[in-house]
Amino acid sequence: MKNNNQDKSRLGKFSLLTLVAIYFLILVGGIVRSTGSGMGCPDWPKCFGSWVPPTELSDLPPNYKEVYSQKRAAKNIKLAKYLNAIGFDATASRIVNDESILEEADFNPTKTWIEYLNRLVGVAIGLLVIGTFLFSIPFRKTEPSVFYLSLGSLILVIFQGWVGSLVVSTNLIPFMVSIHMIIAIVIVFLLSVIVIKTNPQLKFASKRSKYLKNILILCMLVMFIQIVLGTQVRESIDQIAASLSSRHLWIENLGIEFIIHRSFSWVVLLINVYLIYTLYKLNILNQTAKALLAVVLITIITGVIMAYFNIPAMVQPIHLLLGTMGIGLQFFLFLQLKKQEPVTA
């Protein structure tokens, strides 16, 4: 029993570390997007055909744009076949026929190294997920759910790496970027379950747990809708930025999706405030709930800053990270709730 407790404690700490690291990777990914460094490396997993990216244009062949454009075109044809097979015909057609997808960006050493460091962080996170899986092996018979959750996390991270390569080959097409983001959220959810299962002291009882869980489900649904709306705004900004380099013109050129996203933030705030108020009335307002409220408030503040201060590049990744943390904390709080045991005489 002692060894089992030690194994569970080790896995609990390691999975928590991995969960925090995933959030850090999301932040780094946001920095890549906000600096326009997503195509800093036109191939994957190498960068300009090398494990160590170049620092000078002279390190590349004169026809490097044509070379990597052709490689991406071949990869996109294969991707289009998969998409056609599952019914995404319109997206497949765009990937194959949209010539802008194959336009190669000019070499920029700063953007290249930002993207390359993002990949290095991704590799480090991958190693942490592998470690989580290895620590879960002793539980494959005693607590198989922990083992399979860890295995699922590992499989998803590998799949996420493949999707990342497609994000590059499709030149950051919004459809692929959104899938990349959703997978990251699912990985956060899986790791959160592992953390709770291996740290039972994190759970707390409530006689109204079913009611609270229903509120949390509603909160997560509302937050997910807001994330999707935010993704659409991000896609619009990418399109506008391609033709307008001046950031002060971006907001005024956004359409209805921005107005909906901005207005919907009130729904997000009110439903989460009601959740916090309910927890307070039940005297079970824990640290996760307090962190959730802080994250929601700061997310809205960063959104206001972006709307009124021309979308500062340094605020974009923070806004993205906080949105992901919001739904992650909601799910974590959902997992922490358990039924209150009946009092026996």
Side-chain angles (χ1 to χ4, degrees):
M1 180 63 70
K2 183 177 180 180
N3 288 336
N4 184 67
N5 289 335
Q6 289 176 343
D7 290 340
K8 181 170 286 190
S9 175
R10 187 185 302 115
L11 176 58
K13 293 177 181 177
F14 202 85
S15 59
L16 180 59
L17 171 64
T18 306
L19 177 60
V20 173
I22 291 289
Y23 281 120
F24 178 70
L25 180 59
I26 291 172
L27 174 63
V28 173
I31 293 173
V32 171
R33 291 292 307 278
S34 66
T35 57
S37 304
M39 292 305 295
C41 295
D43 49 343
W44 191 96
K46 294 184 179 181
C47 186
F48 287 103
S50 174
W51 292 112
V52 179
T55 56
E56 302 288 343
L57 181 60
S58 58
D59 296 331
L60 300 173
N63 64 335
Y64 74 92
K65 289 187 177 182
E66 180 182 350
V67 170
Y68 292 108
S69 179
Q70 290 177 351
K71 288 183 178 180
R72 293 213 314 274
K75 192 167 188 176
N76 289 345
I77 290 174
K78 294 181 180 179
L79 173 60
K81 291 180 180 179
Y82 296 140
L83 292 173
N84 280 322
I86 59 177
F88 289 93
D89 297 338
T91 303
S93 177
R94 179 188 172 188
I95 289 174
V96 173
N97 299 312
D98 188 347
E99 294 182 359
S100 66
I101 289 178
L102 299 180
E103 290 180 4
E104 198 66 44
D106 294 332
F107 173 72
N108 183 313
T110 301
K111 292 182 177 181
T112 292
W113 276 91
I114 289 175
E115 167 59 14
Y116 186 67
L117 290 174
N118 173 48
R119 296 185 183 187
L120 290 179
V121 173
V123 170
I125 303 304
L127 293 175
L128 288 175
V129 174
I130 291 173
T132 299
F133 170 69
L134 293 176
F135 283 134
S136 75
I137 291 177
F139 299 95
R140 65 186 183 279
K141 292 183 178 180
T142 57
E143 294 187 50
S145 63
V146 171
F147 171 76
Y148 287 112
L149 285 165
S150 301
L151 176 61
S153 300
L154 177 59
I155 292 172
L156 264 185
V157 166
I158 295 172
F159 181 68
Q160 180 78 316
W162 178 69
V163 171
S165 73
L166 299 181
V167 169
V168 172
S169 72
T170 56
N171 201 351
L172 310 179
I173 187 172
F175 173 79
M176 296 306 305
V177 174
S178 297
I179 290 178
H180 202 51
M181 184 66 191
I182 291 171
I183 293 173
I185 293 174
V186 174
I187 293 172
V188 165
F189 280 10
L190 291 179
L191 287 170
S192 296
V193 178
I194 296 171
V195 170
I196 291 295
K197 281 183 171 289
T198 52
N199 294 276
Q201 72 277 8
L202 294 175
K203 300 197 76 172
F204 63 92
S206 169
K207 60 184 178 181
R208 301 182 68 189
S209 62
K210 185 176 181 180
Y211 175 69
L212 287 172
K213 286 193 173 186
N214 287 337
I215 296 177
L216 278 163
I217 291 172
L218 180 59
C219 286
M220 286 186 284
L221 177 61
V222 167
M223 185 67 81
F224 181 76
I225 292 172
Q226 182 70 331
I227 289 173
V228 172
L229 291 171
T231 301
Q232 292 178 343
V233 173
R234 177 70 241 187
E235 292 171 5
S236 297
I237 291 174
D238 287 344
Q239 294 172 358
I240 294 169
S243 56
L244 297 172
S245 58
S246 299
R247 285 180 175 264
H248 70 276
L249 297 174
W250 290 359
I251 290 293
E252 63 186 63
N253 282 277
L254 287 172
I256 189 66
E257 69 279 352
F258 169 68
I259 297 174
I260 296 174
H261 179 62
R262 182 181 61 188
S263 302
F264 199 71
S265 62
W266 284 105
V267 179
V268 174
L269 176 61
L270 291 174
I271 188 66
N272 281 282
V273 167
Y274 177 72
L275 168 66
I276 301 302
Y277 173 76
T278 304
L279 292 170
Y280 173 76
K281 292 291 287 184
L282 294 173
N283 198 30
I284 51 175
L285 186 62
N286 68 349
Q287 295 302 316
T288 306
K290 293 176 182 177
L292 171 61
L293 181 59
V295 165
V296 170
L297 289 173
I298 299 172
T299 303
I300 292 174
I301 290 171
T302 55
V304 171
I305 291 172
M306 290 199 295
Y308 290 96
F309 294 92
N310 305 322
I311 315 181
M314 65 179 296
V315 179
Q316 284 179 277
I318 297 173
H319 189 68
L320 171 65
L321 172 65
L322 291 170
T324 310
M325 286 182 65
I327 196 169
L329 286 169
Q330 288 170 344
F331 186 67
F332 200 83
L333 189 57
F334 177 86
L335 296 173
Q336 285 184 291
L337 283 169
K338 65 179 180 180
K339 287 184 179 180
Q340 189 175 52
E341 297 295 331
V343 178
T344 56

